[in-house]
Amino acid sequence: MTDWSGYIGLILQGALVTLQLTVMGSALAVVMAFLAGLGRVSRFMAVRALATTYIEFFRGTSIFVQLFWVYFVLPFAGVTLSPLQAGVLALGLNVGAYGAEVVRGAVKAIGREQREACIALNLTRGQAMRHVILPQALPLMLPTFGNNAIELLKGTAVVSLISLTDMTFQAQVVRAQTGNTLIPFAVILVLYFLMALAISHGMRWLERRVTRGLDGVRT
């Protein structure tokens, strides 16, 4: 009879790598989403063009190809990354491109009256964005940001292709060693679901926090 305790421990070790990828990839994705999203509404054409190029490129190409380029092709340019670094970079840039459109849409959704009020208060464009527009736009972004984070979590499975020992990779190892497919993949199915559930509840909590006191403000 197979002793599953060691094999389950192996998968749980992989789950920690998946969590690392998700947290670090999400952090990079948020940064890129705000940079590119705000770049899309910039007054400067060069900034808008750069942001649009980034968004269209990473939305229009496969995450598999992006990952392989980051891990296998960049070393030819003298940039060598570990599997974890490559996974974080590829996932963060890919999901950040989708998040950028969320940022742009939320900023554009804020009523014209709010912008006119900023002008009346003699706020600079930067001050208006920081103190008035973004605080109201953030609650509009959060539900889709939560969906993007869950998509990034599920997308971490692709890093097993570059031999990063996430839980999908470890489940494949367990399957190869035991000949059993059901148990290892049932375990990671439950783990992915629990992680996604945690992200969903966390984003709902954050949404309640940031919307506190904003009722009746947005127009």
Side-chain angles (χ1 to χ4, degrees):
M1 181 178 292
T2 303
D3 179 11
W4 282 100
S5 59
Y7 290 120
I8 299 299
L10 197 64
I11 293 174
L12 291 177
Q13 289 176 17
L16 293 177
V17 176
T18 296
L19 281 174
Q20 273 186 291
L21 274 169
T22 303
V23 171
M24 291 167 32
S26 295
L28 177 59
V30 168
V31 171
M32 295 307 301
F34 274 95
L35 287 176
L38 296 178
R40 287 271 279 142
V41 296
S42 172
R43 293 178 294 174
F44 304 104
M45 187 175 67
V47 175
R48 291 198 306 271
L50 184 62
T52 301
T53 300
Y54 158 70
I55 292 168
E56 295 302 328
F57 177 80
F58 280 95
R59 289 198 309 175
T61 54
S62 167
I63 180 61
F64 292 97
V65 177
Q66 294 165 16
L67 180 64
F68 288 164
W69 262 83
V70 168
Y71 189 65
F72 294 113
V73 179
L74 283 185
F76 290 103
V79 180
T80 302
L81 301 176
S82 69
L84 180 64
Q85 292 170 331
V88 169
L89 184 59
L91 289 166
L93 291 176
N94 182 273
V95 175
Y98 291 92
E101 286 298 281
V102 177
V103 173
R104 183 191 65 82
V107 168
K108 287 288 190 180
I110 302 304
R112 185 174 179 179
E113 295 84 356
Q114 298 292 322
R115 303 174 192 278
E116 291 173 348
C118 294
I119 295 172
L121 292 171
N122 201 31
L123 297 179
T124 65
R125 186 179 174 89
Q127 289 172 331
M129 185 64 70
R130 185 167 64 252
H131 297 298
V132 179
I133 305 301
L134 282 181
Q136 296 179 67
L138 185 58
L140 303 178
M141 304 175 197
L142 288 179
T144 310
F145 273 1
N147 290 336
N148 288 347
I150 291 172
E151 286 299 320
L152 190 149
L153 165 67
K154 293 186 292 185
T156 58
V158 303
V159 302
S160 62
L161 297 173
I162 57 172
S163 300
L164 182 60
T165 55
D166 72 315
M167 61 183 177
T168 299
F169 181 90
Q170 299 289 36
Q172 292 170 340
V173 170
V174 172
R175 173 180 170 273
Q177 292 182 0
T178 64
N180 187 302
T181 300
L182 175 62
I183 293 178
F185 284 97
V187 170
I188 68 169
L189 186 70
V190 171
L191 289 173
Y192 274 120
F193 174 73
L194 292 176
M195 290 179 190
L197 199 62
I199 292 172
S200 181
H201 282 294
M203 294 304 290
R204 286 182 192 140
W205 174 83
L206 185 58
E207 189 177 354
R208 288 195 298 271
R209 290 274 300 187
V210 300
T211 54
R212 191 175 299 166
L214 287 179
D215 292 339
V217 174
R218 293 191 299 270
T219 58

